[in-house]
Amino acid sequence: ELRALGDDPATPVHILGLAPNAGRLSVRFWHTGSLGELIDKLKAHHDALRIVPQFEASSKRPDPEFPAAWMLLRETARESKDISPLLAGALMRAILEGTPYPDTLANAVIRRIRADRHVNYLRAAILKAWLTRKPNYQGGVPVSLDTERFEPGYRLGRLFAALEKTQERAQPGINSTIRERFYSSASATPAMVFPRLLRTYQHHLAKLNPGEKVNREKLIQEIMDGIFVMPPHLNLESQALFAIGYYHQRKALFGGGSEHAQDNNEQETVNEEQE
């Protein structure tokens, strides 16, 4: 524990990373520094990860404010045994040295999202941190929804979340949404997918009550106003922004940890209009 090292920032710290290798141990990394430097690097790491939680502290299973490295690595593979030892070492070096996170980390997370079509708190946080430290990446990545952000990937992720929410409201209890069928293709080749999704959206929109319909149309229009071109292909950075935009918009639609918050707000709008 850090407490056992005392509180002198100049206290020397040495960290050895080992990995099994055919019955022997191989060195993944050897880090030397001071206690103060270590604390600064850990703070910078968690600042890079910081993103609005999916489940608040008041929920039954809140998202961890300071996720451990093993939690992040667990999001890169289907099972723990499949986590790459090389990726684990590269991640720890990035954390301890304050350097960019490896591209293989983002690649692995995006592969997992494409496989199970699930963008959770940890995956969104990893992609945000990766982009934040990526060399030559400008603009930063917001902690929560940014309606003034115009990158196509981020906007399209928001749009996909809004279209999915419209489907869920039009077809309560639906077992499979557009996320299960179209997330992978929408996040990689949006020009081929979104025209179809927008046509289907019109059918879903027609099933909503007047207040919900107005709210959804306003949201979709606000998002679409910032999409100046429908790109045929999104690169790795843009796919990461797609996932973050999707995550941010879903969180905003569901409100403060309640999946009924936005629904209640829309119902209040309907009641006001009827009055």
Side-chain angles (χ1 to χ4, degrees), residues 30 62 89 189 231:
W30 170 248
T189 55

Side-chain angles (χ1 to χ4, degrees), residues 1-8 11 35 38-39:
E1 294 184 5
L2 290 178
R3 287 178 298 178
L5 297 175
D7 56 6
D8 183 359
T11 302
L35 177 61
L38 175 60
I39 293 174

Side-chain angles (χ1 to χ4, degrees), residues 221-248:
Q221 189 59 53
E222 177 265 311
I223 297 173
M224 290 291 293
D225 284 346
I227 300 175
F228 308 110
V229 62
M230 191 68 71
H233 175 74
L234 295 181
N235 60 20
L236 185 64
E237 288 184 13
S238 294
Q239 288 185 46
L241 280 173
F242 186 102
I244 295 169
Y246 172 83
Y247 176 83
H248 280 168

Side-chain angles (χ1 to χ4, degrees), residues 40 47 67 103 113 118 150 159 162-163 167 170 185 202 216 229 236 251 273:
D40 288 344
D47 284 345
D103 290 347
I113 294 174
H118 185 53
F150 292 100
L159 178 60
L163 295 177
Q167 180 187 30
S185 54
Q202 294 298 329
R216 196 67 66 230
V229 62
L236 185 64
K251 175 62 180 178
E273 292 179 352

